């Protein structure tokens, strides 16, 4: 790339690439890098076809902005060069900031991901434990299926569910070694919504594990990928699960 511009006119391409790296998981980045490796430049049809095929909220806009900056700021750089830059950044992982997650209508330029896909992704990232809480649950077949796959690979699963909504029925097909917990009496209800994988990733938000909440309702959440934030959350729920504290009971 040419020399750095003045501070009043910085290059946008590195910033846009960094933002994309923060958004996409490693496997999605690898797919993009493979496309770029075969592209001659920003106007290559391979690039435009890849962008047009994206369905995640705001991703088409984000990739289009990268292509515009590539064309303006580094027109002589090949796709292989851009892929190498992305791969280099991916090889040095860093703590990822909180990421906005939504359900319902979304504008094309909003850099947010959809709750339904993120929920499945977080569950799929678990290697040892899953802690999932929801006030209501109905349908959500992709989520239930992903939990089943987690159980098959040896992940310990705790489901914290509100008894009054009969949420446990949505998970009846899961193996019996999945532990289901209900609130012990009292005047309050279990209203938390969280999906936590191991101690590294947690999805927090307003969406219950229902088909409408995951896709159609107007819902809002965040994904945390900083263990320093996720671990205290897990410790709180482990305290709630401790029998001596008489907060939750195992079914």
């Amino acid at each position: 790339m040419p020399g750095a511009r003045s501070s009043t006119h910085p290059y946008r391409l590195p910033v846009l690439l960094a933002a994309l790296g923060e958004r996409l998981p490693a496997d999605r980045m690898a797919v993009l890098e493979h496309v770029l490796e075969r592209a001659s430049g920003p106007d290559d049809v391979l690039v435009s076809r890849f962008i047009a095929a994206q369905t995640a909220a705001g991703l088409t806009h984000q990739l289009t902005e990268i292509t515009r900056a590539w064309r303006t700021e580094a027109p002589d750089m090949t796709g292989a060069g851009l892929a190498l830059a992305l791969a280099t950044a991916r090889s040095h992982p860093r703590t990822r900031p909180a990421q906005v997650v939504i359900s319902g209508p979304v504008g094309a330029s909003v850099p947010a991901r959809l709750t339904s896909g993120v929920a499945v992704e977080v569950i799929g990232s678990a290697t040892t434990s899953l802690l999932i809480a929801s006030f209501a649950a109905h349908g959500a077949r992709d989520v239930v299926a992903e939990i089943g796959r987690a159980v098959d690979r040896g992940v310990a699963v705790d489901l914290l569910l509100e008894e009054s909504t009969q949420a446990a029925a949505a998970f009846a097909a899961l193996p019996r070694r999945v532990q289901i917990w209900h609130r012990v009496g009292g005047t309050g209800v279990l209203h938390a919504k969280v999906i936590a994988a191991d101690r590294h990733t947690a999805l927090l938000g307003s969406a219950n594990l229902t088909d409408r909440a995951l896709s159609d309702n107007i819902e809002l959440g965040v994904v945390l990928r900083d263990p320093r934030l996720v671990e205290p959350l897990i410790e709180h729920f482990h305290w709630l699960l401790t029998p001596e504290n008489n907060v939750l009971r195992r079914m």
Side-chain angles (χ1 to χ4, degrees):
M1 291 180 66
R5 297 184 183 181
S6 68
S7 59
T8 56
H9 296 286
Y11 281 104
R12 296 177 62 238
L13 185 57
V15 176
L16 293 171
L17 293 177
L20 184 67
E22 296 288 358
R23 171 179 182 166
L24 292 184
D27 59 336
R28 298 285 302 282
M29 285 290 285
V31 172
L32 172 58
E33 290 162 17
H34 180 66
V35 172
L36 290 173
E37 285 169 357
R38 296 176 291 146
S40 59
D43 296 313
D44 195 300
V45 68
L46 290 173
V47 177
S48 58
R49 285 176 179 171
F50 179 81
I51 294 174
Q54 302 312 302
T55 58
L59 184 55
T60 296
H61 176 81
Q62 196 170 4
L63 292 171
T64 299
E65 289 300 300
I66 288 173
T67 303
R68 288 173 179 167
W70 180 10
R71 184 182 301 112
T72 301
E73 299 171 6
D76 296 328
M77 178 182 286
T78 64
L82 203 61
L84 180 60
L86 287 172
T88 301
R90 186 161 57 87
S91 69
H92 297 281
R94 53 182 174 172
T95 300
R96 298 171 68 181
Q99 184 179 49
V100 175
V101 178
I102 60 172
S103 299
V106 59
S109 63
V110 177
R113 299 187 62 196
L114 299 180
T115 307
S116 55
V118 174
V120 170
E121 178 186 303
V122 172
I123 294 169
S125 72
T127 59
T128 59
S129 63
L130 271 172
L131 190 148
I132 300 174
S134 187
F135 174 74
H138 183 268
R141 291 179 180 83
D142 289 345
V143 168
V144 175
E146 194 65 38
I147 295 172
R149 284 189 282 271
V151 174
D152 289 343
R153 63 177 182 269
V155 175
V157 179
D158 288 292
L159 298 178
L160 288 59
L161 305 170
E162 171 56 31
E163 188 171 17
S164 67
T165 65
Q166 301 180 329
F171 306 98
L174 292 175
R176 292 183 61 83
R177 58 184 177 275
V178 171
Q179 299 189 94
I180 296 178
W181 304 79
H182 288 329
R183 178 82 187 266
V184 175
T187 57
V189 297
L190 194 158
H191 204 253
K193 294 96 174 178
V194 60
I195 300 175
D198 304 331
R199 291 174 172 263
H200 57 67
T201 305
L203 167 60
L204 312 176
S206 62
N208 286 301
L209 295 180
T210 67
D211 292 329
R212 291 184 64 183
L214 292 172
S215 300
D216 300 326
N217 293 351
I218 296 177
E219 308 277 2
L220 182 65
V222 294
V223 178
L224 305 177
R225 291 190 173 88
D226 186 343
R228 294 170 299 179
L229 299 176
V230 176
E231 287 184 358
L233 178 85
I234 298 299
E235 289 301 323
H236 170 66
F237 278 101
H238 282 178
W239 183 88
L240 294 175
L241 296 177
T242 303
E244 291 80 3
N245 295 323
N246 199 37
V247 179
L248 294 167
R249 71 185 190 279
R250 183 179 172 184
M251 300 305 296

